[in-house]
Amino acid sequence: MDSLIPFTTSGSLVDCVDRKMLVVLRDGRKLQGVLRSYDQFANLVLEDTVERIYHQDVFAEVWRGLFLIRGENVVLLGEIDLDQEDEVPLRQVEWTVLEPYHKQDVATKKKREDVKSQILYEEKGFCKEGGEGDGY
């Protein structure tokens, strides 16, 4: 019976080692790299890492190299299907071209979340959380 219970701990990452992974962080950054190692706290080591930003139907990426990620900052971790990776209907542009649009998108989202948080605080009594910009 116990063998039917799926892993819900960092031990479930053992099959992901040496595979290309997508990691979404609490601050919204999206990283792609090869998972080389992890520990019991789900701290991750990514090799050949690139950071991607998106805006509408285009994306840009910048090389980050070896990347150590603290486990508590991981929102999503998923394996990239190498067979379908090149079939994504997005066009790649230079980082410097897309970065101003991405920064504007991030600022707009932050402003919207601040307004929502203020309304929830004033009308519903919810407390304000995530003083460090934590959206999760």
Side-chain angles (χ1 to χ4, degrees):
M1 181 69 170
D2 290 337
S3 64
L4 298 177
I5 300 172
F7 265 127
T8 57
T9 64
S10 63
S12 62
L13 296 175
V14 71
D15 293 333
C16 298
V17 173
D18 295 332
R19 297 195 181 179
K20 190 169 184 182
M21 305 296 287
L22 167 68
V23 181
V24 178
L25 302 179
R26 286 185 352 183
D27 65 1
R29 286 185 291 170
K30 294 162 188 72
L31 305 172
Q32 291 185 6
V34 178
L35 180 65
R36 289 299 181 199
S37 184
Y38 67 93
D39 65 10
Q40 71 270 24
F41 304 110
N43 296 321
L44 308 174
V45 176
L46 291 181
E47 187 177 57
D48 298 329
T49 307
V50 294
E51 179 179 349
R52 273 197 178 181
I53 56 176
Y54 300 88
H55 179 74
Q56 296 176 353
D57 64 342
V58 295
F59 74 94
E61 56 187 31
V62 64
W63 176 258
R64 298 292 186 205
L66 191 66
F67 216 87
L68 175 62
I69 303 168
R70 188 176 173 103
E72 67 181 13
N73 292 317
V74 175
V75 173
L76 180 136
L77 175 69
E79 184 178 355
I80 295 175
D81 187 340
L82 298 176
D83 295 331
Q84 296 183 1
E85 181 181 20
D86 295 330
E87 297 174 16
V88 176
L90 298 174
R91 184 172 46 93
Q92 186 171 359
V93 297
E94 290 294 320
W95 181 271
T96 54
V97 172
L98 195 58
E99 190 175 26
Y101 296 102
H102 177 70
K103 285 184 176 183
Q104 183 179 1
D105 289 346
V106 169
T108 302
K109 181 180 178 183
K110 181 173 179 0
K111 183 183 270 188
R112 188 173 60 243
E113 290 298 321
D114 288 345
V115 169
K116 188 188 315 181
S117 176
Q118 187 65 31
I119 292 170
L120 287 172
Y121 176 72
E122 292 173 355
E123 296 181 10
K124 303 293 183 184
F126 283 76
C127 63
K128 296 180 183 177
E129 294 186 26
E132 301 160 353
D134 177 13
Y136 298 94

